[in-house]
Amino acid sequence: MGKLLSVFALGGLNEIGKNMYAIEYGDDIVLIDCGNKFPDEELLGIDLIIPDFSYLEENKEKIRGLIVTHGHEDHIGGVPYFLKKINVPVYATRFTLGVIEIKLKEHRILRESTLYEINSESEVQIGELTISFFKVNHSIPDCLGIVFNTPEGTIVHTGDFKFDLTPANQERPDIHKMAAIGNKGVLLLLSESTNAERQGFTPSEQMVGENLVGLFMKAKRKIIVSTFASNISRVQQIVQASEKTDRKLALIGRSMVNVVNVAIERGYLTVPKGMLIEPKETMELPPENVTILCTGSQGEPGAALSRLSTGNFRDVEILPEDTVILAAGPIPGNEKNISTIIDNLYQLGAHVIYGSGSSFGLHVSGHGYQEDLKLMLTLMKPTYFVPIHGEYRMLHHHLLLAEAIGVKRENIFLINNGDVIEVENKIARSTRTIPVGSTYVDGIDVGNMEFVLRDRKHISEDGLLMIILPMSKPDAKMLAEPEIISRGFVDNHFSELRKGMIGIITETIEELHAENRYSWNTKKKQIKKLIGQYIRENTRKRPMIVPILIEI
Amino acid sequence: MGKLLSVFALGGLNEIGKNMYAIEYGDDIVLIDCGNKFPDEELLGIDLIIPDFSYLEENKEKIRGLIVTHGHEDHIGGVPYFLKKINVPVYATRFTLGVIEIKLKEHRILRESTLYEINSESEVQIGELTISFFKVNHSIPDCLGIVFNTPEGTIVHTGDFKFDLTPANQERPDIHKMAAIGNKGVLLLLSESTNAERQGFTPSEQMVGENLVGLFMKAKRKIIVSTFASNISRVQQIVQASEKTDRKLALIGRSMVNVVNVAIERGYLTVPKGMLIEPKETMELPPENVTILCTGSQGEPGAALSRLSTGNFRDVEILPEDTVILAAGPIPGNEKNISTIIDNLYQLGAHVIYGSGSSFGLHVSGHGYQEDLKLMLTLMKPTYFVPIHGEYRMLHHHLLLAEAIGVKRENIFLINNGDVIEVENKIARSTRTIPVGSTYVDGIDVGNMEFVLRDRKHISEDGLLMIILPMSKPDAKMLAEPEIISRGFVDNHFSELRKGMIGIITETIEELHAENRYSWNTKKKQIKKLIGQYIRENTRKRPMIVPILIEI
């Protein structure tokens, strides 16, 4: 039997976020991306979600490297956690490495990490895999698609992409190279699906620049623009609009400062000499000569725009007739927080320019729409296709697009994280499943947090009742009245409820003792049950009940 | 000095939800609407938000009645809570009373409530206020605008409205009556602002009906439609599309059954004889002869559509090639839950028809867009204008519309809940502010829940640590090792942390005693502080720390 070629995802399927894919050939595993995902509000107190590395830890000795397609959080946010477990070389472009290095510094593991800079012309040989790359457009500089030449055939992973034929940074997609790859024959294509529900072709980033210039011309006082820090093409266009209208530029927000600095240092962003000023200088200049570029376009509480909108930023104040431009579409789930900020900005007397997604012309997506996806499918002409990077409905729509351009239905795999596609004699099959879950980061705790989360959820909805029973060790008598303490439970009538509960507890203990039942467990169970009933009937709530027997 | 005319809101300004407005003239207060609002996810465990009735309770003897403009939750959801505090007559139209009665029955106060049926031709005299009405279109039957003829002039409250000139139920808006009211002179207009950000004219409900028929014709198996139960015009169109395509109709979901029954009984909905069937009968009929109409279009977990989408509904199963139509736009904040349902439906193999709001033609808003709002302002020609029913940015845009049709800027009041507009000698001024907050419903507890919510929030993010110290009463010595119990705190390394904590506690008590400091409070404070530091350094979390001294 020859070596087996396997492809699977550790994250990114049936979800947006924590992308991580693996190509395994014989005894070599090459990983693609290692992202994080931001928790839903129901994951109480959790900071981050990262892929579950258990399978990788079990196969540590096979892992040869991690290739990162681009520098967005959903592709790099898990890297420091991964490298702490499995320290293998990381391959990425110059800009991507810049943002990864910021993370590794924060986690204090930059020194022991091995980072290799690659570009679209690089070739990497790992075991029998020959790995090459092609340039794609997205909403961050220096993005790659990846080609794996394997003895079984060619596998292509698109990374995140759109086709921007007039990109603001003049970095055109490698369409001719993609055509050549397709011509040589692609066995299996993994292509991203984020916008598979949206018809048409993604608009070009240049459109945003043109609209920004119009708004900058009209503004009579300070301009505050909020956008994604990593969208360097958009930042470049904001720099240009500021230059045209004779404005200095201040940056607010840690990630904006960090990423813009990486972009300037590494040659991805050109800012005229003397244009950048400190935030506090903005209040000394005439307002018509000031642009402020800040983080917080997703309404994140605590980020720069949110603090500016409530007057809680020390060095800069938004004043009446200032113009605030939200040059970013809302990521689903953030609509409410963004609306609150817009309300607050209006209350400060600002002009607020916002709109629903691309319709307003101040944001374009970095993810290809249906026509972009069809163009990629057409160029690659794959035998097998796995839509990746998306929730189920997106993968489903991407499947329909692949069928439409001629991929056979039975050659398209709609799979889950952990489902393995195995290729043998150029035939691909969905065979086994590796168990993969989610790993939560909670402070310095990293794990599945099952019990912690269950308890937080329970208490957050119904509160908690602690019942402390001091019992005498020798004769198992109650040494004092039970102490009952509540947190997050009812606001009113607690003293009445307490009386009722003390009665029930005293009676329960007496009855159990009368029956010669002295076990702690029996007492706890019985108290939990009876107090639970009593509270439910009297308050319609189901607090967590924690009986604690103290034996003295 | 003559009597004073005052107008204020107890809810509905700078928010969507819990609408409640008051007109006070001399010793008479008339209230308009009493809605609820659904809590954000950060209001942990809270069931509902209702207006704060404190001012009304203090002025109980002045309150003459509650007029309800229409039967949506954000206008009637607080009614039972209000009537339990202040039992005054309720005035509403036949359909609105129908849905109010369902609520009063649930709260077991229907019998002691006084309900007066009115219609657009009614006239109600309360003290010196002559109250009349006009018909408006919205997304529920039988909606009213209200005219208060007062000795100081006319006040108009629009209720929620759009101008649908071809309404599906043929109930046209009273435009001629509105014109006449405007001609006689309106001192103050209160008009709703929900869609003040949206350009153009709201599309007619009939458009949805036409699109539904098209989809019904194409569907080859069962059709499942989800929409708002109270949108009886849409339900009527679904009935008609089912009739055209020879389908029987089953209703799923408590509110769907309740509201449809009210509509049929009171003559607002016509269903052909024999068309309605029980849910379990749908699986026995040929699938092409079945329509299912269900609740849950907002993705509410536990509602009919959510349960159907996960195969958790006993009597009905969604099968491959069934068609599921979401005939409702997402209310902001619900996008994620709706997406999850769509994903699940696709996984069942269903065709899912959904789209972003009105663009897809399966939903139209019941709230007027900018042109509708301008038409109302034009018809009423008010001297003074207060935009109501909306968040700040909506009120702000409505202000711009009023200015555009010629209301003077200084005669437009952008006010908050509790701000009072007083009219004297036909001059309106924003004078004083009544303190109004929000009231939370949590099980049977009703109040401001400040401490309960603070504790729930704290524990939900960082968990809780209980430290129980059994102390001897006579000599203040520790009687046993401290008991440390955690909930919702770390998953790993708890036993190490416990050792560290016990060391700190024992030391602290010894040191305090060595200094002759025996006060319980000092001990608790010191333990809280030192344990807090220790935990923060070792876990980066800040759990709630509850030290409990038990004296025996």
Side-chain angles (χ1 to χ4, degrees), chain A residues 197 354 442 452 489 541, chain B residues 197 354 442 452 466 489 541:
Chain A
E197 293 171 290
Y354 60 101
D442 181 43
V452 164
F489 184 48
K541 301 294 284 185
Chain B
E197 295 171 290
Y354 60 102
D442 180 44
V452 164
M466 293 167 263
F489 183 50
K541 301 293 284 184

Side-chain angles (χ1 to χ4, degrees), chain B residues 7 100 116 128 130 155 159 199 272 324 380 397 404 526 544-545:
Chain B
V7 180
I100 290 176
Y116 290 121
E128 287 171 73
T130 309
I155 298 177
Q199 293 177 350
V324 182
M380 292 297 170
H397 278 97
Q526 194 66 2
M544 175 181 285
I545 297 167

Side-chain angles (χ1 to χ4, degrees), chain A residues 14 40-42 44-45 47 197 332-333 335-336 339 342-343 346-347 354 391-394 396-397 442-446 448-452 455-456 459-464 466 468 470 479-480 483 485 487-493 538-541 544 546 548 550-552, chain B residues 14 40-42 44-45 47 197 332-333 335-336 339 342-343 346-347 354 391-393 396-397 442-446 448-452 455-456 459-464 466 468 470 479-480 483 485 487-493 538-541 544 546 548-552:
Chain A
N14 294 312
D40 283 347
E41 282 177 15
E42 69 196 32
L44 298 163
D47 303 320
E197 293 171 290
E335 294 83 355
K336 275 200 171 181
S339 297
I342 295 170
D343 286 339
Y346 272 124
Q347 288 191 326
Y354 60 101
E391 295 176 0
Y392 188 85
R393 63 194 182 285
M394 304 164 189
H396 172 85
H397 278 97
D442 181 43
I444 60 158
D445 219 14
V446 178
N448 79 10
M449 304 285 151
E450 189 187 336
F451 299 108
V452 164
D455 288 353
R456 285 185 192 164
I459 299 172
S460 76
E461 283 171 4
D462 290 82
L464 170 118
M466 292 166 264
I468 301 150
L479 287 171
E483 181 87 33
I485 291 170
R487 287 291 184 276
F489 184 48
V490 292
D491 237 5
N492 306 309
H493 19 261
N538 284 281
T539 66
R540 280 196 227 148
K541 301 294 284 185
M544 175 181 285
V546 185
I548 306 164
I550 305 277
E551 212 170 44
I552 291 162
Chain B
N14 296 311
D40 284 346
E41 282 176 17
E42 68 196 33
L44 298 161
D47 304 320
E197 295 171 290
E335 293 84 354
K336 275 198 171 183
S339 297
I342 296 171
D343 286 339
Y346 273 125
Q347 289 190 325
Y354 60 102
E391 295 175 2
Y392 188 85
R393 63 193 182 285
H396 172 84
H397 278 97
D442 180 44
I444 60 156
D445 217 14
V446 178
N448 78 11
M449 305 286 152
E450 189 188 336
F451 299 109
V452 164
D455 288 353
R456 284 184 192 165
I459 300 172
S460 75
E461 285 172 3
D462 290 84
L464 170 117
M466 293 167 263
I468 300 149
L479 287 170
E483 181 87 31
I485 290 171
R487 287 292 184 276
F489 183 50
V490 293
D491 236 5
N492 306 310
H493 21 258
N538 284 281
T539 66
R540 282 197 224 149
K541 301 293 284 184
M544 175 181 285
V546 185
I548 305 165
L549 274 72
I550 304 277
E551 213 170 42
I552 291 159

